Amino acid sequence: MVSGVDVGHDRVDLVIVGGGMVGVALACALAPTGLSIRILESRGDAPQSLIDALPGLSAEGFDPRVSALTCASQQFLTHLGAWPRMQAARVCPYTEMSVWDGCGRGSIQFSAAELHEPCLGHIVENRVTLSALYAVMGELNNIRFDTGVKIESVSPPDAQGVRSLRLAGGESLSTALLVGADGAQSRIRTLTGMGATEWDYGHHAIVTTIETEKPHRFTCWQRFTEDGPLALLPLADPSQRKLSIVWSTSPGHARELMALDDRAFCAELGHTFEYRLGEVLGCDRRYLHPLRQRHAQRYVQPGLALVGDAAHTIHPLAGQGVNLGLLDAAALAEVLIDARARGEAPGDERVLRRYQRMRRADNLQTAAAMEGFRRLFDDLPAPIRLLRSGGMSLVNRMAPVKQHLMLMAMGLRGEVPRLARRPLG
């Protein structure tokens, strides 16, 4: 890995724009093929500091950005060699999930024991996952990581699908395949004219780390209110009293909550959460994020593919965003590995369409389900709220339906990429 760029012209097999979890996971998955890979990251901070910090994270405060990683994501990260490093640092399994209607009496409880599984998933700080992936990448000699890179232009593909990039500072770079993994505001998506359908959810999300009076008992908690869902996610704290929150609410209410001092905010949070874990004793710095849904109209063009948030963003109410991105990376890696074995060019649109077929419909289905679920808990007339609450309780009593929902949420049903599948036996 190196920082900075050299002025000149370079040709590599694969360029990934974006050095986050999805982009680095894709690079690590493809490194065994022998492809020459270059990752371009716009931020100036080098990954070495995160790698160095990984062994000592257990003594530090928690990252406010966390992900609820599914079993499929865990399997993919295990395949890459990142998961053992993450376990050695800090991950928190959750074995139960409690969801209830704050405007009624409906509730659903999910338990790993019902499936004879050790857990339903893991809550992991994003920096833990990224640090472990950086450490894996650092041991691979065919990946170059450049920081502080701004891309000024991307050429249309030539007859072989090869694209050229011009970087700030004068360097030009050509590649058989360009992958946009550069987030929701993807510059690659914009520069290449890959349109996206998007709309505002009408929610802002407040995220922070809190401490509660009672232990979390390795349970994910979610209450649906008229303003939006409030989720409390257990963290790997010996006392079991540290949790990460994602409080999605109307923009006006979010601004009011952000204006409160810590004591008042904790009191309001405890009240809204119905004191399921007793009083909220304290909170770290709060962060506010506007929520929008985006979905690229296409994931691929000749010599180009989009993955992760560059291709899609969804509401965080079910914590599926990063899992969808990691499955994108696993699917694209699978397609490219198979294409290389057949002697096909990685930028061939026919090859890339296989990836799009594997992932776009599934991502759209998940986005639609999240949107429908969110709308179901909008401020609705009393008869609809009564039906909604009764429906939740009914599903809670239907074991086969609950088990199917849990398996889907864990990434153990549907078309799972080969690299993210649980081994047979």
Side-chain angles (χ1 to χ4, degrees):
M1 296 179 294
V2 297
S3 299
V5 295
D6 303 316
V7 176
H9 183 87
D10 197 8
R11 168 71 186 265
V12 294
D13 297 317
L14 173 64
V15 170
I16 300 171
V17 178
M21 290 183 283
V22 174
V24 176
L26 175 62
C28 293
L30 287 171
T33 65
L35 291 170
S36 57
I37 302 169
R38 190 160 168 188
I39 300 175
L40 307 180
E41 170 56 51
S42 61
R43 295 173 303 175
D45 49 325
Q48 190 61 46
S49 59
L50 273 178
I51 298 172
D52 293 340
L54 188 60
L57 282 178
S58 58
E60 296 185 11
F62 290 92
D63 185 348
R65 301 165 302 165
V66 304
S67 299
L69 295 180
T70 64
C71 295
S73 292
Q74 177 187 345
Q75 182 56 42
F76 182 40
L77 292 164
T78 299
H79 173 83
L80 300 179
W83 187 255
R85 300 170 191 266
M86 295 162 63
Q87 285 182 302
R90 192 162 57 192
V91 303
C92 183
Y94 60 95
T95 57
E96 310 282 334
M97 183 178 295
S98 180
V99 182
W100 72 100
D101 185 351
C103 304
R105 297 183 178 180
S107 65
I108 303 179
Q109 284 74 44
F110 299 103
S111 173
E114 296 179 52
L115 297 174
H116 306 288
E117 294 283 345
C119 65
L120 296 173
H122 291 80
I123 305 301
V124 186
E125 298 155 80
N126 286 4
R127 67 171 176 176
V128 170
T129 305
L130 190 58
S131 298
L133 286 167
Y134 280 162
V136 172
M137 178 179 63
E139 297 174 354
L140 301 168
N141 59 16
N142 57 328
I143 301 175
R144 171 174 169 172
F145 190 107
D146 291 323
T147 61
V149 178
K150 181 180 179 182
I151 299 173
E152 294 187 338
S153 65
V154 177
S155 76
D158 65 15
Q160 285 73 44
V162 173
R163 291 178 180 264
S164 295
L165 294 78
R166 181 161 293 279
L167 313 181
E171 184 187 13
S172 61
L173 183 64
S174 60
T175 181
L177 176 61
L178 171 64
V179 175
D182 50 341
Q185 304 294 335
S186 172
R187 183 162 175 79
I188 293 301
R189 191 182 65 225
T190 300
L191 288 173
T192 56
M194 299 277 274
T197 301
E198 59 182 280
W199 64 87
D200 198 314
Y201 276 121
H203 279 171
H204 286 184
I206 298 173
V207 298
T208 187
T209 302
I210 64 168
E211 182 176 2
T212 56
E213 181 182 2
K214 299 177 182 178
H216 54 60
R217 305 192 303 275
F218 300 102
T219 300
C220 288
W221 311 79
Q222 190 162 49
R223 179 182 186 239
F224 283 91
T225 74
E226 292 181 354
D227 281 334
L230 167 61
L232 272 69
L233 310 173
L235 294 172
D237 171 60
S239 72
Q240 295 185 34
R241 289 180 170 82
K242 293 284 190 178
L243 300 99
S244 178
I245 74 160
V246 183
W247 192 346
S248 302
T249 186
S250 64
H253 187 217
R255 287 191 290 269
E256 292 172 2
L257 291 171
M258 290 295 290
L260 298 175
D261 61 29
D262 286 353
R263 184 175 180 179
F265 175 79
C266 290
E268 184 65 23
L269 175 61
H271 172 74
T272 303
F273 195 60
E274 300 178 349
Y275 302 103
R276 293 288 177 106
L277 295 176
E279 299 284 349
V280 179
L281 304 179
C283 69
D284 289 350
R285 178 182 174 183
R286 287 162 268 161
Y287 297 85
L288 185 64
H289 303 284
L291 301 179
R292 290 183 66 81
Q293 173 156 318
R294 299 175 180 83
H295 212 110
Q297 293 161 7
R298 299 171 60 193
Y299 286 10
V300 302
Q301 292 180 357
L304 172 66
L306 301 177
V307 295
D309 285 355
H312 47 78
T313 58
I314 63 171
H315 199 285
L317 68 87
Q320 287 298 308
V322 72
N323 293 298
L324 296 182
L326 289 172
L327 289 181
D328 288 349
L332 182 55
E334 176 182 324
V335 165
L336 294 176
I337 290 168
D338 292 347
R340 187 167 176 81
R342 289 192 289 263
E344 298 172 313
D348 188 324
E349 190 173 17
R350 292 170 298 180
V351 170
L352 298 176
R353 282 178 180 169
R354 296 171 200 154
Y355 155 68
Q356 180 170 272
R357 284 194 297 270
M358 288 178 68
R359 295 301 305 148
R360 192 166 188 272
D362 184 62
N363 289 335
L364 281 169
Q365 183 179 11
T366 302
M370 294 305 99
E371 177 65 7
F373 208 59
R374 184 190 69 83
R375 289 179 181 272
L376 182 63
F377 286 90
D378 279 346
D379 187 10
L380 299 171
I384 304 299
R385 292 203 302 269
L386 184 63
L387 287 172
R388 177 186 69 199
S389 189
M392 289 182 72
S393 296
L394 177 63
V395 170
N396 194 48
R397 295 192 296 269
M398 301 172 67
V401 175
K402 282 178 60 179
Q403 290 174 4
H404 177 75
L405 291 173
M406 283 190 283
L407 289 169
M408 290 294 292
M410 294 166 71
L412 299 178
R413 286 290 186 272
E415 187 178 3
V416 179
R418 188 170 63 238
L419 300 182
R421 292 177 198 159
R422 179 180 289 181
L424 295 176

